[in-house]
Amino acid sequence: MTAVAALLALAACNSKPAAPEVLDSNPDPMANTLANAAPVEMPPAIKSEKTLRCKDNSLLYVTFFQGDKQAVVRTKEGGPATTLKSDVAGSPKTAEGGWSMTGSETSVTLTAPGKSAQTCHA
């Protein structure tokens, strides 16, 4: 009898409680859409912001981004921004309207709509 009581006591020590059942009374209506969505690519991080002096003595404000495929150009401080992009790092960055830019953080050649190309240096 004592052996049976000891076995029952040991069996009770090893029993695990059942996992609680979770009821979702408010399911996410977009769960399937999000699960099947394409992966999202994060925008590039800012690499540097430079003020460059151009050949005609004007200033150019350029924000360069990681990956060298995107830059934001302003021809006036606080003026309208134009985003120039390229598919391949190192190739000319362009935007609608005739914008084109080549170069690096220290020297760029910019062609703006209605203007000839000019070189600007940091």
Side-chain angles (χ1 to χ4, degrees):
M1 265 314 195
T2 55
V4 173
L7 285 175
L8 286 175
L10 284 175
C13 288
N14 289 332
S15 65
K16 296 180 182 176
E21 184 178 346
V22 177
L23 299 175
D24 189 2
S25 62
N26 189 17
D28 184 358
M30 293 191 64
N32 286 338
T33 304
L34 294 173
N36 296 324
V40 175
E41 183 178 333
M42 295 293 293
I46 292 176
K47 184 177 181 180
S48 66
E49 293 185 308
K50 301 287 182 175
T51 301
L52 300 109
R53 173 82 54 189
C54 299
K55 196 173 189 178
D56 68 355
N57 212 27
S58 64
L59 292 176
L60 182 66
Y61 305 91
V62 183
T63 303
F64 293 92
F65 291 86
Q66 294 289 339
D68 298 322
K69 295 181 184 179
Q70 179 176 324
V72 173
V73 175
R74 288 183 168 85
T75 56
K76 295 179 183 172
E77 188 172 16
T82 302
T83 302
L84 293 94
K85 294 183 179 185
S86 68
D87 292 331
V88 179
S91 64
K93 296 167 190 63
T94 59
E96 289 183 24
W99 289 90
S100 178
M101 186 178 82
T102 59
S104 66
E105 296 173 64
T106 57
S107 177
V108 299
T109 301
L110 178 74
T111 304
K115 297 182 179 179
S116 60
Q118 69 173 327
T119 303
C120 306
H121 298 281

